[in-house]
Amino acid sequence: KNEVEQSPQNLTAQEGEFITINCSYSVGISALHWLQQHPGGGIVSLFMLSSGKKKHGRLIATINIQEKHSSLHITASHPRDSAVYICAVNNDMRFGAGTRLTVKP
Amino acid sequence: EADIYQTPRYLVIGTGKKITLECSQTMGHDKMYWYQQDPGMELHLIHYSYGVNSTEKGDLSSESTVSRIRTEHFPLTLESARPSHTSQYLCASSVGTRTDTQYFGPGTRLTVL
């Protein structure tokens, strides 16, 4: 069983929809990362969280340490948000399997 | 803007060849990492380094080796490439604390025939 579980695995949305991607983990952590991987393979770090909530533009990330759960939200989604979103915990960087998001115009 | 580079971006090579994948960063980061990602699969940490002359194996067993002679440079070597090594290899770096953001390179897509 993977120590970092993401859901859903695949997500298709219409442009403008509010999107939520979930990440649950089973180990104690010092921080959790949300990463974005584009179709060409390049990875961008979106957020690093150890508590609470962070916002950057249309992206919001939250974490509940007690429940061992984090969510990534995208407001007013756009086709350019189409990518794989990966959750990783900061204990030797263990990764979730990723959520493949497709936003249709 | 992160300055971390990987070369080559794409490599197709025959079985048995020795290859070195290059990774360099100009940010002065102490920690550097190598990840392996098979198509459609999750990332796995294969090597990391806390600084010069420090290297450790990650959670995924790998036949590759790494070296860290200079802060900015963290090459990965396969002594004898095999088709099972076909994968994407991603390099990353961070300042040095456990909670620091990692900056990723563009990756090297390796195909071993």
Side-chain angles (χ1 to χ4, degrees):
Chain A
K1 186 182 186 302
N2 198 357
E3 292 167 323
V4 182
E5 298 279 351
Q6 282 186 241
S7 63
Q9 284 188 325
N10 294 284
L11 180 57
T12 300
Q14 287 297 129
E15 183 173 357
E17 286 184 2
F18 180 83
I19 288 161
T20 295
I21 299 170
N22 296 298
C23 176
S24 297
Y25 52 93
S26 58
V27 294
I29 68 168
S30 52
L32 181 143
H33 296 258
W34 280 103
L35 310 171
Q36 180 191 52
Q37 185 169 30
H38 289 284
I43 292 180
V44 174
S45 181
L46 298 175
F47 294 103
M48 190 276 297
L49 291 165
S50 53
S51 65
K53 176 180 171 178
K54 284 189 176 180
K55 185 176 189 290
H56 182 69
R58 295 180 294 106
L59 302 177
I60 303 166
T62 63
I63 188 168
N64 185 317
I65 297 293
Q66 286 73 32
E67 294 185 4
K68 295 187 175 179
H69 181 266
S70 177
S71 293
L72 176 69
H73 306 285
I74 305 175
T75 61
S77 60
H78 191 276
R80 65 175 175 267
D81 297 327
S82 298
V84 175
Y85 292 83
I86 302 168
C87 167
V89 297
N90 218 102
N91 296 23
D92 299 325
M93 289 301 281
R94 298 188 185 275
F95 294 84
T99 295
R100 186 174 300 277
L101 172 66
T102 303
V103 181
K104 295 186 174 181
Chain B
E1 187 74 21
D3 295 317
I4 180 162
Y5 309 99
Q6 288 185 244
T7 57
R9 293 291 310 278
Y10 302 92
L11 180 61
V12 180
I13 202 162
T15 297
K17 300 290 187 184
K18 178 180 178 178
I19 57 171
T20 296
L21 308 185
E22 302 287 351
C23 176
S24 295
Q25 48 94 7
T26 58
M27 297 171 282
H29 286 171
D30 285 326
K31 281 194 92 168
M32 295 188 74
Y33 314 79
W34 275 104
Y35 298 94
Q36 184 176 344
Q37 185 183 32
D38 293 333
M41 302 297 287
E42 58 224 55
L43 286 150
H44 289 282
L45 179 67
I46 53 174
H47 296 283
Y48 60 100
S49 166
Y50 289 119
V52 171
N53 295 325
S54 153
T55 61
E56 304 285 345
K57 288 188 180 293
D59 63 340
L60 181 69
S61 174
S62 173
E63 293 165 346
S64 58
T65 59
V66 291
S67 63
R68 190 90 183 274
I69 297 170
R70 303 197 315 264
T71 298
E72 63 270 22
H73 195 215
F74 191 38
L76 180 144
T77 298
L78 280 164
E79 290 292 334
S80 180
R82 294 207 300 271
S84 61
H85 297 139
T86 294
S87 190
Q88 176 164 248
Y89 294 84
L90 287 148
C91 179
S93 72
S94 66
V95 170
T97 68
R98 294 193 71 189
T99 57
D100 268 336
T101 297
Q102 291 194 15
Y103 297 91
F104 284 82
T108 294
R109 195 171 295 278
L110 173 65
T111 302
V112 184
L113 303 176

